[in-house]
Amino acid sequence: MPKRLAQIDWSLIQAFLAVAEGGSLSAAARTMRQSQPTLGRQVQAIEASLGVTLFRRERRGMALTEAGAALLEPARTMLDAAGRLALIAAGEAEDMHGTVRITASVFVSHHVLPPILARLRQAAPEIALDLVASDASDNLLFREADIAVRMYRPDQLDIVARHLGDVALGLFGAKSYFDRRGRPATLDELRSHDFVGYDTSDLIIRGFRGFGWQVDRDWFAVRCDNQSANWELVRAGCGLGFAQLHTGLADPSVERVAADLPLPPLPLWLATHDRLWRTGRVRLVWTHLAEGLAPLVS
């Protein structure tokens, strides 16, 4: 008879759920921000503790066994309960001392938030800050983050969300690139230039097709999905690329072109769980973020 699930180390239950829902150790490692060997050892540990085999190792990943499938819902119930417990405890805390965990996209984390968080540290030194730079949707329900800066409207239940406004985009190129290739005066001339695009994402491709340019992945001279690295490629002169207007205009190494190009703006949202909204330090950080991000939006 396997041991009761309540006797198992909570971190092992989290590892079990991450692998079960991700379908592979690599996917679970990205979710848990741990290495694949660490996740593999945790899976082995929970299987040894329970005395059952939870996964079948397959060519494309890990599939649940019958025993693993039977434990999936009880494990999720424990995850939900643990998340609610943490939220209730955090929501009742009135002490301003503590940590607030903020998640934002890689680009916003690199190019927008640092000066805002520096000012926050000066105003409220009793609050420690964790910044999670990730393009993944960290889950506010399970305290993976306390406050999220989103470029889309959050749709989870029990979430407090505020639309700060819309962030305009612009098309930019390095001055060194334009000195070498010339500055396009018309849209036809613009099409002859090199562009920096995404590797696996089709977001920019769909954007181009939206205003009539039938391009594909191979049309882009250089490709990278990481938005911050993508911007550095533009700044280095690899080609033209898109950036938040506020960031591009503040950078003396680049120039804006095709200002009349119809680029859809990005909606900017702040979000937190409604129980965390009761916590004084979370409200204080929220207020500072809203004020700091205000110059970016229209």
Side-chain angles (χ1 to χ4, degrees), residues 139-180:
N139 198 326
L140 296 172
L141 298 181
F142 301 129
R143 298 301 306 280
E144 293 173 8
D146 299 319
I147 299 176
V149 182
R150 297 286 194 234
M151 294 300 182
Y152 56 87
R153 181 172 186 166
D155 58 4
Q156 291 176 300
L157 297 175
D158 303 322
I159 293 297
V160 175
R162 175 183 169 190
H163 181 214
L164 300 181
D166 294 325
V167 178
L169 298 177
L171 178 63
F172 295 90
K175 291 180 179 179
S176 60
Y177 171 88
F178 288 128
D179 290 343
R180 185 175 73 252

Side-chain angles (χ1 to χ4, degrees), residues 63-133:
L64 285 168
T65 62
E66 185 176 346
L71 292 178
L72 188 57
E73 284 309 312
R76 284 174 173 161
T77 299
M78 290 188 68
L79 178 66
D80 291 343
R84 288 194 297 271
L85 181 66
L87 286 167
I88 291 170
E92 297 301 324
E94 291 298 330
D95 188 0
M96 296 297 287
H97 290 78
T99 299
V100 175
R101 188 173 178 85
I102 303 162
T103 184
S105 71
V106 172
F107 188 92
V108 169
S109 296
H110 284 195
H111 301 286
V112 177
L113 288 184
I116 298 174
L117 299 187
R119 292 192 295 271
L120 173 57
R121 284 291 301 146
Q122 295 177 34
E126 69 277 15
I127 299 177
L129 301 171
D130 290 337
L131 177 59
V132 182

